Amino acid sequence: MAVPSNSRAILLAIFIAFGGFLFGYDIGVISGCLIMPDFVDRFGQENPDGTFTLFSSRQSIITSLLSAGTIVGAIAQAFTSDRFGRRGSILIWSAIFTAGTVIQTGTVHSLAQLVVGRFVAGLGVGALSAIVPLYNGETAPKALRGMLIVLYQVQIIMGIFLSYVIDLGTHSISGPASWRIPVGLQMAWGVILLSGIFFLPESPRHLLGTGREDEARAVIAELNSVPENDPAVVQIMEELEFGIHAENDGGQATWMECFSTRNMLWKRTINGMMLQFIQQLNGQNFYYYYGDTFFKSAGTTLSPYVIQTILGAVSVAGTLPALYLIDTWGRRRSLMTGALFEAMCALIAGLVGHFLLAPSGTPQADLTPTNKKGGDVLIAFAVMHVFAYSIFWGPTPWVYLGESFPLRVRPKGIALGSATNWVWNFLLSFFSPRIADDIGPLILLIFAGMLVFGFCYVYLFIPETKGLSLEEVDEMYRAKVLPWNSNGWRPSEKHMHEKVDTQMADVREEKTKGDDEA
């Protein structure tokens, strides 16, 4: 018996996680473009004196059309993932994303062309935000699954950081190159993912689910770097066939089945959607979008581009410990620890910002000693908040989403979770400025309250899935294990063997009947 190696699976996971890079880069790059002079002159509205201004209404259209596209793409990928497979679906949506970036880069003065390109690119970004956790969850070894899905969040943050760095480097260029270079680079990122057609295998779970057993066996052997007749391949094939056979009882899955009582699917779907909802209301995006305003009131002389770059670098640094903690601390502990720490940061930053900083626009702003001390405290806790988010709530909801559903409804369940993320991303970016105009830094108390709610929700409803295969996660939900008792839970070996033996006998009997009828 050969010793299985996970090197091939790890390399594939790193490549597929590049879909997250597209996600992060596209989100980050536009924020810098919105204040570039040439971009404003081309897509802003003309003032009576002949100058141009990109008013908030147009900024909202430019930024929100991406989110609108991502919501549609996250749902639509469920159809392509089932019909064309995970590999084919990745290629389709990568091509759509690339087409969207071509449309954006090619515009001269047309706001309509720009926002249509943003929408089309958003379709690809939203679809890939669901497919990447789906693919990595199905191909990763269970001992490494958490870490490999975390790579998706790492790539998101790397994309955001690189977009900030490129915006910082090009914003001083005169003419359209200042924004066309950072926007146009996205075409290269799309082409990189499209190159996967030459070496990207299909998910073995999808292959078995569609009756392509020989191909599934070859992929499993390839991912483990062993021969196809190796006992490890035989064992994995039998486990997958058992799980898939059990999942497929009852015919074709529907969207409503995601909320059915069958195998506690409703609970899994609600958990996935709730974690994505709470993630978006952690408060980190408020710092990304509006942190420069807060930092200016704190007395800093840094430009918005430098501020964004600092936040991006802190976020990148935070994702590195997450690669280790996700499979050592586990999902529950990471989420609860992060919720408490981030709530503390948001609470302190909100109160300090409200009581110690001078209101923006007043003469004493940025000058008084009280304001300077308060500004230092606000900046420190804002940075710690973003850092903690990158370790805990940034990656963990995506990991949990990618491993909670049986194959039967997995694309649909992940689509609903991803769409929830994008809906709340859109609502947050739309309403936050209006709320902040009314209550200022006290908006951070809303995020602190949501994080306390998140701690309670995780404790009461989110079971620990660390170290379990996707089939064992399914078994845990079927067994109705209480979340606070789930840490270290394993299915009874005797029980699992009996179920596997019975189920495999049924599978063999059905195959025999099919051969006889043929």
Side-chain angles (χ1 to χ4, degrees):
M1 176 176 174
V3 178
S5 168
N6 297 317
S7 58
R8 174 69 171 168
I10 292 172
L11 289 174
L12 285 174
I14 293 172
F15 176 81
I16 291 300
F18 193 74
F21 183 90
L22 271 63
F23 175 1
Y25 187 92
D26 199 278
I27 289 174
V29 74
I30 198 64
S31 61
C33 294
L34 291 175
I35 55 176
M36 292 179 181
D38 186 83
F39 191 89
V40 173
D41 290 344
R42 289 173 183 272
F43 305 111
Q45 293 169 284
E46 188 172 5
N47 300 313
D49 61 359
T51 61
F52 288 84
T53 301
L54 194 61
F55 292 107
S56 58
S57 58
R58 290 204 173 190
Q59 289 187 23
S60 178
I61 291 172
I62 293 171
T63 56
S64 63
L65 260 290
L66 175 77
S67 296
T70 56
I71 296 169
V72 176
I75 296 294
Q77 65 77 31
F79 299 97
T80 60
S81 292
D82 281 337
R83 181 174 180 82
F84 302 107
R86 291 26 167 177
R87 174 178 180 268
S89 194
I90 289 170
L91 299 175
I92 290 170
W93 293 107
S94 298
I96 291 173
F97 169 83
T98 306
T101 62
V102 171
I103 295 171
Q104 292 177 69
T105 308
T107 186
V108 179
H109 289 97
S110 173
L111 178 66
Q113 181 177 340
L114 178 68
V115 297
V116 167
R118 295 279 294 163
F119 179 82
V120 173
L123 292 173
V125 170
L128 289 169
S129 74
I131 299 172
V132 171
L134 170 66
Y135 184 91
N136 277 350
E138 290 187 345
T139 57
K142 65 181 180 181
L144 300 175
R145 188 176 63 244
M147 183 188 74
L148 295 184
I149 299 180
V150 166
L151 287 173
Y152 175 62
Q153 180 67 19
V154 173
Q155 293 277 28
I156 291 174
I157 298 300
M158 289 294 294
I160 292 174
F161 176 61
L162 184 60
S163 72
Y164 289 164
V165 171
I166 292 175
D167 280 348
L168 176 64
T170 65
H171 78 277
S172 59
I173 299 175
S174 60
S178 60
W179 59 270
R180 279 210 174 111
I181 291 174
V183 171
L185 275 174
Q186 295 176 101
M187 290 184 283
W189 314 148
V191 170
I192 289 174
L193 264 185
L194 283 170
S195 69
I197 193 172
F198 298 109
F199 61 87
L200 194 65
E202 183 55 83
S203 159
R205 285 178 171 86
H206 176 75
L207 291 171
L208 275 175
T210 53
R212 296 149 69 184
E213 295 182 12
D214 291 341
E215 294 178 59
R217 185 178 293 105
V219 171
I220 291 171
E222 178 185 1
L223 291 175
N224 289 276
S225 302
V226 295
E228 291 186 26
N229 60 354
D230 190 86
V233 176
V234 175
Q235 180 183 354
I236 294 172
M237 283 283 291
E238 289 184 350
E239 291 176 355
L240 292 180
E241 286 180 337
F242 156 65
I244 291 168
H245 185 81
E247 292 163 7
N248 287 338
D249 285 344
Q252 185 68 30
T254 64
W255 286 96
M256 287 307 299
E257 186 174 333
C258 293
F259 298 95
S260 70
T261 57
R262 172 178 176 165
N263 301 334
M264 301 294 287
L265 287 177
W266 68 271
K267 184 174 183 180
R268 309 187 205 194
T269 302
I270 295 299
N271 279 349
M273 295 174 70
M274 284 297 295
L275 288 182
Q276 295 292 328
F277 158 63
I278 297 169
Q279 184 207 55
Q280 282 301 302
L281 290 178
N282 263 219
Q284 81 291 341
N285 281 345
F286 183 77
Y287 288 124
Y288 285 137
Y289 296 152
Y290 310 110
D292 58 327
T293 303
F294 269 9
F295 291 169
K296 283 180 181 177
S297 70
T300 180
T301 58
L302 296 175
S303 75
Y305 296 102
V306 174
I307 293 169
Q308 287 179 326
T309 303
I310 292 172
L311 286 176
V314 168
S315 299
V316 170
T319 58
L320 301 180
L323 292 169
Y324 172 76
L325 293 175
I326 193 69
D327 282 322
T328 53
W329 279 24
R331 286 51 158 167
R332 277 173 59 84
R333 187 178 177 186
S334 291
L335 290 171
M336 290 191 291
T337 301
L340 290 180
F341 187 81
E342 289 176 57
M344 177 193 70
C345 292
L347 178 65
I348 295 174
L351 294 177
V352 166
H354 179 72
F355 290 110
L356 296 185
L357 296 187
S360 61
T362 58
Q364 70 270 31
D366 308 335
L367 297 177
T368 65
T370 300
N371 184 68
K372 185 65 174 70
K373 291 179 181 178
D376 291 341
V377 174
L378 187 148
I379 292 172
F381 279 94
V383 169
M384 286 192 289
H385 188 147
V386 170
F387 182 75
Y389 169 82
S390 298
I391 297 176
F392 301 115
W393 276 89
T396 310
W398 291 109
V399 173
Y400 196 84
L401 188 65
E403 63 189 7
S404 293
F405 300 98
L407 178 68
R408 175 180 172 80
V409 298
R410 189 169 296 142
K412 294 179 174 65
I414 293 178
L416 290 170
S418 299
T420 301
N421 181 288
W422 287 110
V423 167
W424 284 98
N425 181 289
F426 171 78
L427 293 174
L428 179 71
S429 62
F430 185 81
F431 286 110
S432 285
R434 292 162 174 79
I435 298 173
D437 283 344
D438 291 335
I439 64 175
L442 289 180
I443 189 176
L444 295 174
L445 302 189
I446 298 175
F447 301 131
M450 178 54 63
L451 285 158
V452 172
F453 168 76
F455 175 89
C456 298
Y457 187 89
V458 171
Y459 180 80
L460 294 173
F461 299 109
I462 303 298
E464 181 57 70
T465 54
K466 178 187 71 173
L468 300 177
S469 69
L470 297 183
E471 288 67 37
E472 288 170 339
V473 171
D474 187 54
E475 180 64 26
M476 179 174 63
Y477 270 103
R478 291 168 184 258
K480 300 182 180 180
V481 177
L482 295 174
W484 51 88
N485 293 331
S486 62
N487 193 29
W489 177 88
R490 293 293 183 275
S492 166
E493 197 169 321
K494 178 181 177 182
H495 176 64
M496 286 299 293
H497 279 313
E498 289 175 352
K499 289 189 69 175
V500 171
D501 291 343
T502 302
Q503 198 70 57
M504 290 308 299
D506 292 340
V507 172
R508 285 190 290 268
E509 182 178 348
E510 288 187 9
K511 287 182 180 179
T512 302
K513 287 181 180 178
D515 293 341
D516 292 342
E517 290 174 1

